[in-house]
Amino acid sequence: MLFQRYGPCLEPQSSLEENYQRTRPNNSLRSLVLNTRTIADAAGSGYVELGRTKVIAAVYGPRPPLRSSKGGVENAMKGRLTCEVVKSAYCSYSCESTRSQIGKGFSEEERLLSIRLVRAFEPILLLDKYPKCSIDIFVVLLEDDGSAFTAMTLATSLALADASIELVSIVASATVAISPKQEYLVDPDKTECEQAIALITVSLPLHATQLCEIYHIGKLSAEEWLSAVQLAVEVAQTVGNSMCQFLLQEMAKNEPSNQ
Amino acid sequence: MQSSSSGDKPLYAVPGMEICEQGNFSIGSGCYSNHSKIYASLLGRVVFHQVDTSSLQVCVVPVARTTTSTLRRSAPPTVGDVVIGKVFKVTWRAVVVDIFGTEMELFRYPFRGVIRLADVTNLKTDLHHCFRTGDIVRAQVVSLGDPQAYYLSTNDSRFGVIYATSNAGYPMEPCNENEMICTKTAIKESRKVAK
C-alpha cells in the first residue's frame, strides 16, 4: 500500500474501501471532459475532467515578467515559464484529514506539482520566440479523485494551445497503478491509488519521440516498470488523439462565425 | 496571398502536426522545422504565401477569438514598431517610458521602454527640455534592449511628444519643433515635439 490512513487514536485504519471493485475494465479510462476558453480574461484556458477529478488551468502571456529575474542579458533572450498550482480547499474528500494550513502560502505538495509542471513543459514551449517575456500558468485542482497530475498536464496543454503560444507539440499524459494483485490499472481513482503498490505517471508530447516526464512512486521490478510505462504511453497516445480532435472541432466551430 | 484548400475545407493544424516536407518551402510564423520536415506550432489554419516566383512560405494563422480579448494586442513590440507611451521618469541620460500601445491598437500588458540620450535627438540638449513626466510620446522601437526595457528612439521628426500638460495643469499645443504653448496661460515650454 502506498498510503496508510490512520484513525483518530493513531491506529492504522483498514481502508473503508476494502471491498472496492473496479467497475470498468483495467484498460479503460474514465469519462473525459475537455473544454477551452473557460476563463475569459486569460490568454488561454483549459478545463479537464477525468471521471471526478477536475482541473482548471489558465495561461497568461507573453507578458513582461512580474518578478525581474537575475542573470543578465543571456537569460532574457529566451522567454520564461512560471507556474502556480493551487489545490482548492475542497479538493480532497471529507473522510481525510482537512488541511490545517489553508491560506498560509503554498504547501509542499503544491510547490512540487508546480515544479513538475514547469519541468515537463519547459522543453515543449518554443521560448526562443518570446524574448524578455514571461508565460505564466495558473492551475487550480478543484477535485482530486486520483491521477490529478495527468489532468493538470492535459488542462495546461489545452490552455497553451488556446493561448496561441508556440509549442513543439501537444502534451498528453496518463497514469497507471499496479494493484496488490499485480494488475495494471489505467487511470486509477483515489482508492486505487492508495491501495496500489506502485504508481507511474507519464507525460509525452504527441508528435515527438521522447517522453517529457515519468513520475514513479513505489517499488517495481524492471520488467514490470517497462510494461507499465509502455501501457501508459499507449493510453496517453489515445488521450492525446482525442484532445487533438477536440481542438480541431473547436477551431472549425469558431471559424464560420468569423468569416 | 493564396490560402491552400483541398476542395472547400481549409487545412487546420494542431501544434506538433506535420504539415509537409521541407522541400522548397520557407518557414513563416507558427511553424518550425525538424529533420527536414515542417511542423505546426500553433493552433490554427495553414496558409501558404507566395513569397516570390519560386518559393512558398508556410504559416499557421491562429483562429481569431471572438471575445473582447481581441481588442488588445497580446504580442510584445518588435523592432521597428512605432509605439506610444507615457513618460514615467526623466533622468540626465535616459527617459523611461511606459509603452501602452502602437498607433493601431493597445497592448494587453504595458511594457517598459527607455529612450537613451543619444537617441532622443541629433542635437545635444538637456533631456529635461525635451520631455517631462506625464507626457505622451510617440517613438520607434530600436532594439529589444536589456531585460528591463526596450530601447526606443525619437530621432526622427515624426517622433516625440504628442500631448503634454503644462506646469499650470492645462493641456499644451505645439507651436514649433521645440516648444509647446499652454492653452490657458499662454506660457511656452520646451519639448521635443512630434510633427
Side-chain angles (χ1 to χ4, degrees):
Chain A
M1 296 244 300
L2 282 179
F3 308 100
Q4 178 69 276
R5 245 183 245 163
Y6 294 94
C9 301
L10 297 179
E11 81 274 6
Q13 226 176 26
S14 56
S15 175
L16 298 161
E17 295 81 2
E18 252 175 1
N19 301 327
Y20 174 82
Q21 286 294 327
R22 185 174 162 122
T23 49
R24 52 199 162 103
N26 282 356
N27 272 1
S28 75
L29 287 170
R30 292 175 285 181
S31 60
L32 180 66
V33 173
L34 301 171
N35 214 345
T36 54
R37 301 195 185 169
T38 37
I39 300 179
D41 182 52
S45 56
Y47 173 73
V48 168
E49 273 184 35
L50 260 181
R52 287 194 298 184
T53 304
K54 301 175 179 62
V55 170
I56 192 166
V59 167
Y60 288 85
R63 61 178 178 180
L66 294 178
R67 271 177 297 235
S68 56
S69 57
K70 5 181 213 256
V73 182
E74 305 81 35
N75 281 9
M77 287 321 285
K78 276 176 33 153
R80 207 171 61 149
L81 179 66
T82 61
C83 175
E84 287 182 13
V85 174
V86 170
K87 291 175 63 157
S88 67
Y90 41 86
C91 74
S92 42
Y93 296 127
S94 48
C95 53
E96 302 171 6
S97 61
T98 51
R99 270 178 17 172
S100 55
Q101 298 195 326
I102 297 175
K104 282 190 197 166
F106 289 108
S107 71
E108 195 66 50
E109 201 179 337
E110 289 170 349
R111 265 182 287 188
L112 179 64
L113 291 169
S114 313
I115 292 176
R116 281 175 63 194
L117 262 185
V118 169
R119 283 220 214 111
F121 276 93
E122 207 158 351
I124 298 293
L125 304 195
L126 294 176
L127 290 173
D128 290 328
K129 301 207 176 180
Y130 300 106
K132 287 173 41 155
C133 289
S134 155
I135 295 172
D136 304 319
I137 308 177
F138 298 95
V139 182
V140 178
L141 179 60
L142 297 167
E143 192 179 335
D144 184 5
D145 192 29
S147 35
F149 188 73
T150 305
M152 281 195 245
T153 318
L154 297 176
T156 314
S157 271
L158 286 178
L160 286 170
D162 188 33
S164 301
I165 293 186
E166 307 217 12
L167 306 172
V168 169
S169 168
I170 297 269
V171 176
S173 175
T175 309
V176 167
I178 289 94
S179 72
K181 297 185 216 133
Q182 301 297 320
E183 294 170 330
Y184 295 104
L185 306 174
V186 164
D187 195 19
D189 48 10
K190 199 135 186 86
T191 43
E192 289 168 356
C193 281
E194 291 178 353
Q195 290 175 345
I197 53 175
L199 262 184
I200 288 194
T201 303
V202 149
S203 302
L204 69 104
L206 285 184
H207 300 102
T209 49
Q210 285 178 321
L211 299 182
C212 298
E213 195 211 35
I214 303 181
Y215 181 75
H216 173 198
I217 268 190
K219 210 158 105 167
L220 280 179
S221 71
E223 299 84 31
E224 285 176 336
W225 188 88
L226 200 55
S227 36
V229 168
Q230 280 169 345
L231 177 60
V233 166
E234 277 170 31
V235 173
Q237 286 278 355
T238 33
V239 172
N241 289 337
S242 325
M243 268 173 66
C244 288
Q245 272 179 359
F246 165 73
L247 287 171
L248 291 171
Q249 270 172 13
E250 284 284 313
M251 258 202 296
K253 234 182 355 178
N254 291 326
E255 267 279 279
S257 58
N258 287 338
Q259 282 170 353
Chain B
M1 174 171 131
Q2 308 166 343
S3 72
S4 140
S5 42
S6 48
D8 272 349
K9 282 201 314 216
L11 179 63
Y12 292 119
V14 178
M17 191 174 96
E18 185 184 323
I19 303 182
C20 52
E21 300 271 331
Q22 178 80 53
N24 281 342
F25 296 109
S26 64
I27 300 178
S29 74
C31 26
Y32 66 96
S33 87
N34 200 1
H35 296 135
S36 77
K37 290 197 186 156
I38 300 186
Y39 298 89
S41 64
L42 282 181
L43 190 64
R45 208 167 3 115
V46 180
V47 153
F48 293 92
H49 282 288
Q50 189 88 41
V51 168
D52 50 38
T53 47
S54 62
S55 72
L56 287 177
Q57 192 190 53
V58 185
C59 283
V60 178
V61 174
V63 172
R65 300 172 68 140
T66 48
T67 59
T68 51
S69 56
T70 45
L71 293 176
R72 293 191 172 216
R73 170 174 149 171
S74 57
T78 48
V79 177
D81 282 353
V82 174
V83 295
I84 306 209
K86 188 164 181 173
V87 173
F88 166 75
K89 185 163 78 167
V90 177
T91 65
W92 67 274
R93 59 174 179 169
V95 179
V96 180
V97 169
D98 264 338
I99 305 174
F100 52 77
T102 61
E103 303 219 284
M104 295 290 121
E105 48 187 347
L106 299 174
F107 289 124
R108 290 181 90 187
Y109 311 104
F111 294 90
R112 229 358 124 68
V114 151
I115 315 177
R116 292 167 300 167
L117 181 60
D119 293 327
V120 170
T121 176
N122 284 328
L123 320 158
K124 281 192 203 163
T125 45
D126 183 6
L127 281 187
H128 289 278
H129 293 317
C130 299
F131 300 102
R132 291 291 166 103
T133 312
D135 293 349
I136 309 287
V137 300
R138 181 193 301 142
Q140 188 174 42
V141 178
V142 161
S143 83
L144 292 178
D146 54 41
Q148 275 77 36
Y150 289 84
Y151 284 171
L152 307 174
S153 155
T154 50
N155 226 337
D156 201 59
S157 59
R158 297 178 284 156
F159 304 128
V161 174
I162 51 183
Y163 176 82
T165 315
S166 73
N167 282 336
Y170 298 104
M172 294 206 286
E173 276 175 359
C175 41
N176 62 31
E177 214 176 73
N178 283 323
E179 287 179 338
M180 291 181 110
I181 182 163
C182 172
T183 45
K184 222 40 198 284
T185 59
I187 298 181
K188 285 191 181 178
E189 294 184 19
S190 54
R191 295 283 198 280
K192 200 268 172 199
V193 181
K195 229 195 331 196

